[in-house]
Amino acid sequence: KWFNLAAVRGGGPLNIVPDLALARFNVRVDSLAQHEAFQRGLAELLTRVRRRDGITLELVGNLHAPPKPLDEPTTALLEQFAACAHDLGTPPLTWQPTGGTCDGNRLAAAGLPCLDNLGVCGGQIHTPDEFVHLPSITARAKLVALFLMKLAAGEIAPPVAHTLPQHAEAAP
């Protein structure tokens, strides 16, 4: 779903064919089916390029952050988290799949409902202009604490982990 060609290196003078070139890229998908489709398409592309005279092509790496779907158990947990925000008088919370990667991707691949990115509010993430709204530090700490206290007290029932599809494997 998301493809980022992060870096391309190789060669020297413009009129000389380089002996080595490297391309680094990042792919993020919403489902294992999308990952498998991307892998098939990439394999077909590699096969076509390798048929060209004088070209050797090697793919290094694999799926390092499996998809983290916004499934029913995770949505149920998010709704309970939003209810805690309401209890604190916080403006209503919304959520959406982001395509991002974190340890939550690995937990989701293991079949566990997972909430992540519950930290402070801000913007321009992963850029030199990233910022945080300082008052959100205390507000988010209170919200997470309330959620964890209700979970520990049994006021919030943790959703049951779902079963992994037969072909799914968690990334290391």
Side-chain angles (χ1 to χ4, degrees), residues 114-159:
C114 176
L115 302 185
D116 63 7
N117 300 316
L118 303 178
V120 298
C121 299
Q124 305 298 324
I125 189 168
H126 303 312
T127 72
D129 297 323
E130 184 170 3
F131 65 93
V132 61
H133 292 291
L134 292 177
S136 72
I137 295 172
T138 304
R140 285 299 170 110
K142 288 178 182 178
L143 176 54
V144 171
L146 177 61
F147 178 76
L148 291 175
M149 287 189 301
K150 286 188 172 200
L151 192 62
E155 296 174 38
I156 293 175

Side-chain angles (χ1 to χ4, degrees), residues 3-7 23-27 38-39 42 46 59-60:
F3 179 87
N4 175 35
L5 182 56
R24 297 178 57 104
F25 60 91
N26 180 10
V27 177
F38 176 79
Q39 290 288 87
L42 185 58
L46 293 175
L59 178 64
V60 179

Side-chain angles (χ1 to χ4, degrees), residues 40-120:
R40 282 191 306 275
L42 185 58
E44 291 169 10
L45 175 63
L46 293 175
T47 299
R48 286 196 316 265
V49 172
R50 286 179 182 138
R51 288 185 190 136
R52 296 179 184 166
D53 187 36
I55 296 179
T56 303
L57 193 60
E58 180 181 355
L59 178 64
V60 179
N62 200 350
L63 178 69
H64 295 287
K68 184 175 46 122
L70 188 54
D71 56 13
E72 282 186 40
T74 300
T75 299
L77 204 56
L78 282 164
E79 288 169 351
Q80 293 174 358
F81 188 77
C84 289
H86 176 45
D87 292 348
L88 292 174
T90 301
L93 299 180
T94 61
W95 49 87
Q96 64 186 24
T98 64
T101 61
C102 63
D103 290 336
N105 293 69
R106 290 154 187 83
L107 297 172
L112 300 172
C114 176
L115 302 185
D116 63 7
N117 300 316
L118 303 178
V120 298

